């Protein structure tokens, strides 16, 4: 009846089954790897697009910030140049700035508590009123620059989420 004995047939069928399973395993693995590689490539493209949009948002915000700070500086410098017009020499001669005012102003500018007041604070500091006006104008200029920097940072933070979509 049969030329091939039964144990050899079983062995051949088992070998054929193992070969088919191995072939399917290898083909399935290469298919999964191809899908994995395509997903990684897609992610890389999405990441590059998001980075590009973030960079564009950053450039936009920084450009606006630089323009605004330039305007603030120009205005501040103009105000500082006008101090002698608004605080003439006669006002300097008529007003005496005491050491207590200077100490308090410097402490406030540094964000620290001033030292306790003393008798020596009542004495004249020898600083002209126009110098005080110039210092106050420069401090406000710095304050406005910081405000513009904060506005730019807030604009940048609000732009970034829309750039990641």
């Amino acid at each position: 009846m049969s030329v091939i004995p039964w144990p050899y047939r079983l062995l051949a069928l088992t070998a054929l089954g193992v070969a088919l399973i191995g072939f399917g395993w290898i083909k399935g693995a290469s298919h999964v790897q191809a899908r994995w590689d395509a997903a990684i490539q897609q992610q890389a493209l999405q990441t590059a697009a998001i980075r590009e949009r973030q960079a564009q948002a950053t450039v936009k915000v920084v450009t606006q910030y630089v323009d605004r700070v330039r305007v603030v500086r120009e205005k501040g410098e103009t105000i500082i140049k006008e101090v002698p017009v608004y605080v003439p020499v006669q006002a300097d001669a008529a007003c005496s700035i005491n050491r207590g005012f200077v100490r308090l102003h410097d402490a406030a500018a540094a964000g620290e508590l001033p030292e306790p007041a003393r008798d020596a604070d009542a004495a004249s500091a020898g600083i002209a009123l126009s110098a005080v006006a110039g210092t106050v104008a420069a401090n406000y200029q710095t304050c406005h620059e910081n405000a513009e920097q904060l506005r730019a940072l807030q604009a940048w933070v609000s732009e970034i989420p829309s750039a990641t979509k």
Side-chain angles (χ1 to χ4, degrees):
M1 308 240 216
S2 167
V3 181
I4 302 174
W6 180 248
Y8 291 118
R9 274 193 238 172
L10 187 59
L11 184 61
L13 286 174
T14 304
L16 179 64
V18 168
L20 286 174
I21 289 173
F23 179 74
W25 183 277
I26 291 171
K27 287 301 269 182
S30 66
H31 175 70
V32 169
Q33 185 65 44
R35 285 185 22 205
W36 175 264
D37 291 342
I40 294 296
Q41 180 66 24
Q42 181 65 25
Q43 263 186 339
L45 292 173
Q46 288 174 344
T47 302
I50 288 171
R51 286 186 179 161
E52 176 65 27
R53 288 192 302 270
Q54 287 176 340
Q56 290 172 352
T58 299
V59 167
K60 174 184 162 190
V61 169
V62 167
T63 302
Q64 290 173 349
Y65 164 71
V66 168
D67 290 342
R68 289 178 183 162
V69 167
R70 183 181 47 78
V71 169
V72 167
R73 282 191 181 139
E74 288 173 359
K75 286 180 181 178
E77 289 170 2
T78 301
I79 291 170
I80 291 170
K81 287 178 186 175
E82 294 294 318
V83 166
V85 174
Y86 290 94
V87 185
V89 177
Q90 298 84 0
D92 281 341
C95 182
S96 173
I97 306 299
N98 66 9
R99 290 183 184 154
F101 175 85
V102 173
R103 189 177 315 225
L104 183 65
H105 179 270
D106 291 347
E112 299 174 357
L113 293 175
E115 295 178 13
R118 297 179 270 179
D119 290 338
D121 288 341
S124 175
I127 296 175
L129 184 60
S130 58
V132 172
T135 300
V136 170
N139 289 348
Y140 279 125
Q141 176 185 352
T142 303
C143 175
H144 290 299
E145 288 174 10
N146 290 341
E148 287 301 330
Q149 185 177 20
L150 178 59
R151 284 186 196 101
L153 179 60
Q154 289 171 332
W156 181 77
V157 167
S158 68
E159 289 275 334
I160 291 303
S162 63
T164 59
K165 293 179 182 177

